[in-house]
Amino acid sequence: MKRSISAKLILLPICFCSITTISLYSQNSNVKKTHRKAIEALYNERYEDAQNLYKSILNSEPTNSRYNLEAGLSYYFSAFEREKSIPYFEAALQHSTKDTIPELKYYLAKSYQLIGDYEKSNKTFNDFNYFIDFPKKSGKLLKSDIDREVNYNNNGIKYTLEENKNVTLENIGSNVNTKDREYAAVSHHSDNVIVFTSRRKFKGNKLDKGDLLPYEDIYVAKKSNENWVLVTDKNELKKYIPENVNTKKHDASITYSIDGKSIYTYKKDAVWQSVFENGTWGTLNRLNKNVNTSKFNVPSVSITPDGNTLFFVATKKDGIGGKDIYKSIKQSNGEWDTPTLLNTNINTKEDEDAPFLSTDGKTLYFSSRGHSSIGGYDIFKSELTNGEWGQATNIGIPFNSPSDDIFYVIDEKNENGFLSTDRIGGNGSFDIYGFITKCKNIDNTEIRGIVYDSKLKTPIKATLTLTNKKTNSEEATVNTLTSNGKFLIVAKPETVYSLSMKADGYSSHTVEITTPPQCEYYQLFSELSLDKVEIEGATYQVATIRNSLFNRADINSTQPTNDGSYIPDFKDENDNQYSEDMAFMQKTRKLTPENQPNFYLLKDTVKIEDFIASNPEKDLISFEPIYFDFDKSNITKASKSELEKISSYLKSPEGKEYLLTITGHSDGKRDYEMSKKLFKNKKMEYSKDAAENRSKDYNLKLSEFRAQQVSKYLTQKGIKNSQISIEFIGENQPAFPNFNSDGSNNLENQSKNRRVTFKLTKQKEI
């Protein structure tokens, strides 16, 4: 028997009873003929045919409530794009005589549930309650079903409020997922490879007479250049699955052992095992009857890291209800012992399926239609405590949806995994999704701070340079404000930098600073104070750095405050964050790495020589950046005055000694909907990563064009090519964050990032 994933459909007989007895009023002969064909297609589950026929009918009679209802059903009962039923159901309700189609409200409520509009679904279910004949047994059963659906909705409302925003969940693409069903991805423990099950159509495969879908087969996919592609080479396939693993009937992937040396598959209503030895997969052997005990086995299997305990699914008389999860212990002779039923913290009166054990053996993931589901199968987890499995908890949104969510697997680091779902927005009736639990860093963050002399209690005008230690490249150089010593510098999250400070009258200081991972935008804060002390007749400079690399909102009002040490108080009427910064710095005086892990207090002492060399370029002339229109590289009228200044200086006797470096930049604006259309027009496979790479490549080229245009302008003004050097870095060094904290485009900041900057350096003598 196949591993079935049943759709969540009920009341079908009720609805078709209504359909087959409707009056064909106001039909012309063509509409009447087309309607008979549409009814036949709908009844025989040829939903795509039915959809096209109803579109034709509704072109003639768009306000006919019955036609709209039936058109809605042709989408609702289909395995794909079920959300398209809603406009038809709503039109049917709008144009129907009051209370003539009571079942319409049931289907409309279910459709609202599919798209996660739980409040509207509950209201519509409540309206439907009016039509239930409660004294009858059928009415009581229907009321029980409605109560269950309302409970799903209430769970959905709860979990929506608790959604884990750090998780990235994405469809793995149309190279793997088709309009048919793909599910049960199994990760291979080497390479970027999954084995999965599909019921896709291909030439020669036969249909299961039970549901008229193709028999299951096992496939292999590999990640290449950020995209998943099918493995078709026979020699490569032999590395991951036994040869000739697919038969004429159902064959499905189940799991690998933790060491990747055993694979478990499904065929002939049973679980089979193959062992990888001497570089090849051995013959598939059927597990004993203690595992394969159910006449209609619908197996999913997970095995402990030591290979001695097997969790599997079966429908048995001693079960709690429907499909249940059992475990079996391997005996000394290698056979599996009599299975035991897991407790009611796991199994319910509804179906349970797809157990998956974490690498450490302490967490059991599984899918259930019971517990606190938000619709159909949801994914749950249970923790092992003192030898007992604890109460199952729903792992929440985005892992779970109002549709079926099942076959959850995750790697040993609990960071990357896969699940299968028939949720809205997929490629077909059941798709495989990949997920990352570790949040994706924002592109850029900001370090705001202050530099001051703690002894003189004065701000310091300093030049700060941020250098990426991994690439040894300078990513930003800024000057502190003379009035208050404040600075703002753009950096990348989760990056190790050296921050160097140069100021007249002070020795240079360089410290290491590591920005933390950041899923959402907030400013980091760095406070640098300098002091001079005398030790045994020598003068030393002491730098104290307080790096508050966390969201200041994390410090609540009860946080300990000032310990009596100096707080820099340099009021500037233009500083809108003066009061906020003063209060924050006061709170940091009691912080330690123990009570705030992302707080770092550093001290660095250097000996001051009798003569502190001045910066030979401190009085060097500097030029303002010039800016560009969106997606343009032509020189604007507003920019020409600054370019004239540059041209005049480079022609002067002093300017001829210097090399001008022209650096092109772009913004990082994103429009994913436009990207999807572009990829579609070019017949390219779309993914968010592919769109990101294309945008970054395009912006790099655009920044090059901008730098070239400026160079061309200056050479036309008589500047020699030998005095000009060009760099272009795309969107990699924004002057301001490109995005707001909610991820939307910050248009004002982006306009300031579309720029060319200039730097003068002394030319080497030849």
Side-chain angles (χ1 to χ4, degrees):
M1 181 183 176
K2 61 189 174 297
R3 290 161 57 110
S4 61
I5 305 171
S6 55
K8 291 169 280 188
L9 309 176
I10 70 164
L11 294 183
L12 185 59
I14 297 175
C15 187
F16 277 111
C17 177
S18 301
I19 290 174
T20 53
T21 59
I22 65 170
S23 169
L24 302 181
Y25 57 86
S26 71
Q27 291 183 336
N28 61 43
S29 59
N30 286 335
V31 170
K32 186 175 181 180
K33 184 177 180 180
T34 305
H35 185 241
R36 280 199 299 268
K37 291 180 180 178
I39 284 286
E40 181 184 3
L42 186 59
Y43 188 81
N44 288 300
E45 301 180 20
R46 292 185 285 107
Y47 297 119
E48 193 170 346
D49 292 342
Q51 291 161 11
N52 292 326
L53 290 165
Y54 279 113
K55 285 177 184 176
S56 174
I57 294 170
L58 287 168
N59 281 335
S60 299
E61 298 193 31
T63 62
N64 186 299
S65 58
R66 281 291 174 181
Y67 296 161
N68 276 293
L69 168 63
E70 293 163 17
L73 292 173
S74 71
Y75 282 100
Y76 178 85
F77 287 122
S78 70
F80 187 51
E81 295 182 327
R82 296 178 66 198
E83 73 278 11
K84 288 187 176 181
S85 63
I86 293 176
Y88 294 105
F89 289 152
E90 289 178 334
L93 191 62
Q94 178 185 352
H95 298 298
S96 66
T97 305
K98 187 178 181 181
D99 301 344
T100 56
I101 318 177
E103 65 268 32
L104 167 60
K105 292 190 176 181
Y106 174 88
Y107 289 109
L108 183 56
K110 284 288 294 177
S111 298
Y112 286 144
Q113 185 186 75
L114 281 175
I115 63 171
D117 196 338
Y118 305 112
E119 298 279 5
K120 194 178 284 188
S121 178
N122 272 349
K123 182 181 182 305
T124 311
F125 275 130
N126 187 57
D127 293 342
F128 180 70
N129 276 331
Y130 173 78
F131 301 101
I132 298 176
D133 189 356
F134 289 102
K136 292 185 178 180
K137 182 178 180 181
S138 60
K140 291 177 181 178
L141 290 172
L142 184 54
K143 174 58 177 171
S144 175
D145 176 72
I146 299 301
D147 288 344
R148 184 175 67 251
E149 298 295 338
V150 169
N151 189 50
Y152 285 159
N153 287 336
N154 291 337
N155 291 333
I157 293 168
K158 174 180 182 291
Y159 294 129
T160 298
L161 295 174
E162 300 171 358
E163 180 177 358
N164 187 345
K165 301 290 187 180
N166 291 338
V167 174
T168 301
L169 179 73
E170 291 184 340
N171 191 302
I172 67 171
S174 58
N175 289 331
V176 172
N177 292 317
T178 66
K179 278 193 173 183
D180 301 302
R181 300 181 178 189
E182 281 76 34
Y183 48 90
V186 179
S187 295
H188 192 269
H189 296 279
S190 63
D191 306 324
N192 244 333
V193 170
I194 57 170
V195 175
F196 67 97
T197 302
S198 177
R199 302 194 71 180
R200 65 186 61 193
K201 300 178 181 68
F202 63 88
K203 187 176 181 180
N205 70 335
K206 295 183 178 180
L207 303 183
D208 184 328
K209 294 180 181 179
D211 57 13
L212 300 180
L213 293 174
Y215 284 109
E216 295 169 304
D217 277 318
I218 299 171
Y219 292 81
V220 178
K222 190 170 188 176
K223 197 170 189 180
S224 175
N225 296 324
E226 300 303 316
N227 291 311
W228 287 94
V229 294
L230 286 180
V231 175
T232 56
D233 180 80
K234 291 183 178 180
N235 289 326
E236 188 172 7
L237 284 171
K238 290 177 184 178
K239 296 195 306 188
Y240 309 113
I241 54 176
E243 194 171 4
N244 300 320
V245 69
N246 291 318
T247 64
K248 292 182 179 181
K249 294 201 173 181
H250 287 293
D251 301 281
S253 55
I254 300 180
T255 191
Y256 281 108
S257 61
I258 198 69
D259 60 4
K261 296 295 179 67
S262 291
I263 189 171
Y264 296 85
T265 67
Y266 165 82
K267 67 175 181 176
K268 296 181 179 179
D269 289 325
V271 180
W272 299 66
Q273 179 190 17
S274 173
V275 178
F276 192 77
E277 292 179 320
N278 301 319
T280 187
W281 288 101
T283 303
L284 283 164
N285 294 306
R286 181 176 177 140
L287 300 192
N288 70 15
K289 64 180 182 181
N290 285 329
V291 175
N292 292 310
T293 185
S294 173
K295 181 179 179 182
F296 298 109
N297 212 19
V298 189
S300 291
V301 166
S302 187
I303 193 164
T304 53
D306 62 9
N308 291 326
T309 303
L310 191 75
F311 295 86
F312 66 96
V313 173
T315 305
K316 298 175 62 180
K317 290 182 180 180
D318 67 346
I320 295 172
K323 292 185 286 183
D324 290 311
I325 300 175
Y326 292 78
K327 75 171 182 179
S328 178
I329 308 297
K330 185 181 286 186
Q331 301 175 87
S332 58
N333 63 359
E335 293 294 319
W336 294 103
D337 201 358
T338 303
T340 57
L341 179 69
L342 297 193
N343 63 31
T344 53
N345 287 337
I346 306 293
N347 290 312
T348 68
K349 291 181 180 180
E350 306 291 340
D351 287 332
E352 278 70 44
D353 203 347
F356 176 80
L357 194 66
S358 62
T359 304
D360 63 9
K362 296 179 180 179
T363 305
L364 181 66
Y365 297 92
F366 64 98
S367 287
S368 174
R369 289 180 173 172
H371 297 293
S372 55
S373 170
I374 60 176
Y377 277 117
D378 270 14
I379 301 160
F380 294 82
K381 70 176 182 179
S382 174
E383 305 291 343
L384 186 65
T385 305
N386 298 324
E388 291 291 326
W389 291 106
Q391 182 61 51
T393 57
N394 191 308
I395 66 172
I397 298 172
F399 298 109
N400 290 317
S401 71
S403 302
D404 282 324
D405 306 286
I406 194 169
F407 302 121
Y408 176 99
V409 295
I410 194 167
D411 65 13
E412 59 186 11
K413 294 180 179 179
N414 291 318
E415 290 182 357
N416 302 288
F418 301 91
L419 60 83
S420 305
T421 177
D422 65 345
R423 67 185 60 192
I424 298 301
N427 286 12
S429 59
F430 232 85
D431 284 354
I432 298 169
Y433 283 67
F435 62 82
I436 303 172
T437 60
K438 184 181 179 182
C439 73
K440 185 177 181 180
N441 282 325
I442 57 176
D443 287 338
N444 295 289
T445 186
E446 291 177 323
I447 304 171
R448 194 159 59 83
I450 185 170
V451 182
Y452 62 94
D453 189 311
S454 58
K455 190 170 186 177
L456 299 176
K457 296 181 172 50
T458 56
I460 296 176
K461 182 170 174 31
T463 298
L464 302 177
T465 302
L466 196 66
T467 302
N468 188 315
K469 293 195 73 173
K470 184 177 181 180
T471 62
N472 199 32
S473 59
E474 290 185 8
E475 292 198 358
T477 299
V478 299
N479 294 319
T480 62
L481 297 176
T482 306
S483 59
N484 58 13
K486 294 283 186 72
F487 67 88
L488 182 69
I489 195 165
V490 176
K492 295 187 181 299
E494 207 166 3
T495 305
V496 182
Y497 291 103
S498 61
L499 180 64
S500 62
M501 185 203 70
K502 293 181 180 180
D504 287 344
Y506 296 87
S507 287
S508 298
H509 253 103
T510 300
V511 296
E512 185 176 290
I513 182 170
T514 303
T515 54
Q518 273 187 260
C519 308
E520 57 184 1
Y521 170 77
Y522 53 84
Q523 282 186 335
L524 311 177
F525 196 86
S526 186
E527 184 183 342
L528 291 79
S529 65
L530 300 180
D531 190 7
K532 294 174 184 176
V533 296
E534 298 290 331
I535 303 175
E536 297 179 351
T539 304
Y540 290 83
Q541 180 175 288
V542 180
T544 302
I545 303 98
R546 288 182 169 88
N547 285 329
S548 300
L549 307 181
F550 54 86
N551 189 344
R552 62 176 59 192
D554 293 342
I555 301 182
N556 59 39
S557 58
T558 60
Q559 184 71 42
T561 56
N562 188 16
D563 61 352
S565 60
Y566 175 68
I567 306 292
D569 185 359
F570 313 126
K571 193 162 187 179
D572 183 336
E573 292 181 357
N574 295 318
D575 185 359
N576 296 326
Q577 294 175 299
Y578 165 77
S579 299
E580 181 185 344
D581 287 347
M582 286 290 294
F584 178 70
M585 286 188 287
Q586 189 177 50
K587 289 182 178 181
T588 64
R589 292 305 186 265
K590 285 284 188 171
L591 291 181
T592 67
E594 286 70 36
N595 60 30
Q596 175 48 258
N598 284 327
F599 174 79
Y600 304 93
L601 179 62
L602 309 171
K603 285 187 181 289
D604 187 34
T605 303
V606 295
K607 186 177 181 181
I608 300 177
E609 303 299 336
D610 293 335
F611 174 75
I612 299 177
S614 62
N615 182 354
E617 296 183 0
K618 68 184 178 76
D619 297 322
L620 194 62
I621 190 170
S622 61
F623 301 107
E624 294 297 318
I626 64 169
Y627 299 95
F628 294 80
D629 294 329
F630 174 68
D631 202 27
K632 302 293 183 184
S633 59
N634 54 295
I635 307 295
T636 65
K637 288 183 179 180
S639 299
K640 289 183 179 180
S641 61
E642 190 68 19
L643 292 177
E644 290 299 327
K645 290 180 189 177
I646 296 172
S647 174
S648 297
Y649 179 77
L650 292 176
K651 290 176 182 177
S652 70
E654 179 186 353
K656 288 179 180 179
E657 298 179 6
Y658 288 92
L659 174 72
L660 178 72
T661 300
I662 301 169
T663 304
H665 302 261
S666 70
D667 63 29
K669 188 175 182 179
R670 294 292 186 268
D671 187 339
Y672 291 114
E673 292 305 315
M674 183 65 72
S675 294
K676 288 178 182 177
K677 292 178 183 177
L678 181 66
F679 274 67
K680 185 177 181 180
N681 290 339
K682 291 182 177 291
K683 297 181 179 180
M684 296 165 59
E685 174 71 22
Y686 175 82
S687 71
K688 195 169 182 180
D689 286 338
E692 277 289 300
N693 291 334
R694 181 196 171 276
S695 294
K696 289 178 179 179
D697 290 343
Y698 181 86
N699 285 334
L700 183 65
K701 198 68 179 174
L702 180 59
S703 70
E704 181 183 10
F705 290 155
R706 288 171 176 165
Q708 288 174 342
Q709 286 292 93
V710 173
S711 175
K712 181 179 178 182
Y713 183 94
L714 291 174
T715 55
Q716 288 174 346
K717 292 292 180 178
I719 306 304
K720 296 178 180 179
N721 285 327
S722 60
Q723 275 189 277
I724 295 174
S725 171
I726 287 180
E727 294 179 350
F728 47 94
I729 53 180
E731 62 186 66
N732 292 327
Q733 291 183 20
F736 299 91
N738 281 303
F739 305 102
N740 298 311
S741 57
D742 62 358
S744 61
N745 289 305
N746 187 319
L747 300 181
E748 181 180 354
N749 282 1
Q750 288 170 355
S751 68
K752 298 174 184 177
N753 291 330
R754 299 191 289 268
R755 69 200 193 282
V756 161
T757 57
F758 307 96
K759 183 178 180 181
L760 290 170
T761 53
K762 195 86 168 181
Q763 296 208 61
K764 295 179 180 179
E765 294 184 7
I766 300 176

